[in-house]
Amino acid sequence: MQILPSGHGPAAAEQAVLELAPFRGVRYARNRVTGLAEVTSPPYDVIAHDRADQLMAADPHNVVRLILPRPVPGEAGDVYDDAARALRQWQDERILVPEREPSLYVYEQAARDHRPGAQVVQRGLIGAVRLSPLDAGVIRPHENVAPGPVAGRLALMEATQANLEPIFLVYEGSERGAAARIIEEAALAREPLVDTVTGDAVRHRLWALTDPAELAAIAADLGPRSALIADGHHRYAAYLKLQARRRGAGGGPGPWDYGLALLVDAAAYPPDIAAIHRVLPGFAPARAAELAKGAFTVRKLPGGTRELPAALDALADALSPGADGTRADTAGQDAAFLVAGGGQAYLLTHPDPLQIEAAMPPGRSPLWRALAASVLQELLMARVWGIGDDDPDVRFVHHDAAAAVREADETAGTAVICPSMSTWDVYAVAARGERVPRKSTSFGPKPRTGLVMRTFAQG
């Protein structure tokens, strides 16, 4: 299945090219830090506060100090300026060192599979992606963004003059294409620059591509393609805002016309799409379930969260086709959720089709209206509970249902365990020019932050 349409919008007439440019990467000097596992981190938006503490304790130069800067008690000043000062200091002290020449980087992540002796491998290219307007069809989002996170990432970029972590893009390539051939050759036959295993048992390897012929072949292969933003919508929006500011100030062409990105061929390495769960502090599960009875079939699960695996199995069973293999005819009726916390668990199924119809915003396609994420956002959260999904009190937990339940218990609240979205639905919605509801997909495996960075001075 084609991920994205080959055509482009009117804004793409001037430049409808997917360009991933080499740059002089900035990397940690191995002899100046405890180890790469100790100074790198997951992306900024999946790091819980306690996890940030652990990362900072692992090494004083962990990249989380740059991507999630915190105020220093008793000291005035902007946290983003603090991050910029730390970045300059680490460069001055040669803890972070620029490469001698521009490169594209082959990046491999390998994790153990549940099958004995098996591995899950993802390979792609890290480079500086040329920015393209969202309506050009070259780089296409699948989620909306919130102003706050965009403003925060923009302020960090302006202060540090750097892209500290790559966004994650997927495209549909060809096994006979130059990019695929060069990636595989590097991974199978060349010595890596980086080879480290992080605490989550994922092995990360990195190779630099500098040969002009290889770079030219990759550019020719990627040029006519288009890419989907898998992860990093807020960072890409910040890239575009920074570019607009610089151009508006008469800056002309410059490093702000590009942003750091990992580009993965989704045909060769299909991404894993996990759910993003909600935690609603101070909102009791029993109250949430009682209110939901007006729009859903609600069933209290006897084992509650003490038997969370069984509750998750019940949710999975509710999302499976019926005995005859059919699904509900009315959009959204297949949606199901688990409401949990305080030892209790409730299964919400069979939302009322009339209420679904009344809750949905006008102008949305039948495909969008049928998404469980749309039913969650428009019917359950907004209409039944009166909680906007952009409410600052709503918390998001990627992947881990147990972690969401723990956070609900800690906040005397409710965890809403959501189903994951299919790859087909994400691509199909994006191909129509629509976007799935915010915080409804978590693509993986996500690139590790800190393996290679891009500063504007070197980029």
Side-chain angles (χ1 to χ4, degrees), residues 89-399:
Q89 180 179 344
W90 295 358
Q91 290 177 291
D92 292 341
E93 295 174 354
R94 305 292 289 173
I95 292 163
L96 290 173
V97 181
E99 304 279 19
R100 294 183 177 180
E101 57 185 322
S103 308
L104 289 180
Y105 297 87
V106 173
Y107 175 41
E108 177 190 87
Q109 296 159 278
R112 286 193 298 271
D113 195 2
H114 64 279
R115 297 165 296 178
Q119 278 191 326
V120 176
V121 176
Q122 176 175 276
R123 296 185 182 120
L125 291 168
I126 294 178
V129 68
R130 178 178 282 275
L131 305 185
S132 175
L134 293 180
D135 61 352
V138 178
I139 298 175
R140 190 181 296 272
H142 75 270
E143 283 188 357
N144 285 315
V145 298
V150 174
R153 292 301 97 182
L154 176 60
L156 181 62
M157 272 196 302
E158 289 192 312
T160 60
Q161 294 292 287
N163 303 144
L164 299 173
E165 51 186 336
I167 64 172
F168 180 13
L169 305 175
V170 295
Y171 74 105
E172 187 173 37
S174 166
E175 63 182 13
R176 295 180 297 275
R181 173 180 56 79
I182 294 168
I183 288 170
E184 296 306 300
E185 180 185 326
L188 298 177
R190 304 182 191 180
E191 283 295 317
L193 290 173
V194 169
D195 189 343
T196 190
V197 178
T198 47
D200 53 3
V202 177
R203 185 183 186 187
H204 304 264
R205 296 198 294 170
L206 203 68
W207 296 262
L209 303 177
T210 59
D211 179 76
E214 289 186 333
L215 296 177
I218 290 171
D221 186 9
L222 296 179
R225 306 187 189 280
S226 55
L228 179 81
I229 301 175
D231 188 63
H233 286 80
H234 292 96
R235 281 167 280 167
Y236 191 77
Y239 288 170
L240 291 176
K241 282 188 174 293
L242 179 61
Q243 181 190 52
R245 284 189 182 182
R246 291 300 177 91
R247 289 184 173 179
W256 43 83
D257 293 324
Y258 295 81
L260 188 62
L262 167 66
L263 186 63
V264 173
D265 179 356
Y269 302 101
D272 174 49
I273 304 179
I276 302 179
H277 310 301
R278 271 61 172 168
V279 175
L280 313 176
F283 187 41
R287 176 62 175 162
E290 185 63 31
L291 291 172
K293 289 179 180 178
F296 290 79
T297 298
V298 178
R299 175 163 64 97
K300 186 174 184 179
L301 301 180
T305 57
R306 294 179 300 279
E307 298 181 16
L308 185 58
L312 294 174
D313 286 343
L315 176 61
D317 290 343
L319 295 165
S320 300
D324 59 357
T326 61
R327 303 287 265 166
D329 292 332
T330 305
Q333 287 189 67
D334 292 328
F337 308 96
L338 193 65
V339 169
Q344 302 173 331
Y346 302 85
L347 184 65
L348 277 54
T349 60
H350 303 97
D352 181 354
L354 294 179
Q355 294 195 53
I356 292 175
E357 185 66 24
M360 292 297 159
R364 299 292 191 179
S365 69
L367 174 62
W368 192 94
R369 297 154 77 92
L371 298 174
S374 302
V375 175
L376 170 72
Q377 176 179 284
E378 303 298 336
L379 176 59
L380 182 58
M381 295 278 291
R383 193 177 184 90
V384 173
W385 290 338
I387 301 173
D389 205 42
D390 57 352
D391 187 309
D393 292 331
V394 176
R395 303 184 183 184
F396 301 94
V397 177
H398 292 243
H399 307 284

Side-chain angles (χ1 to χ4, degrees), residues 7-16 133 135-137:
H8 303 289
E14 183 178 337
Q15 179 187 312
D135 61 352

Side-chain angles (χ1 to χ4, degrees), residues 419-432:
S420 59
M421 193 177 299
S422 74
T423 305
W424 188 92
D425 282 339
V426 176
Y427 293 160
V429 169
R432 294 180 59 88

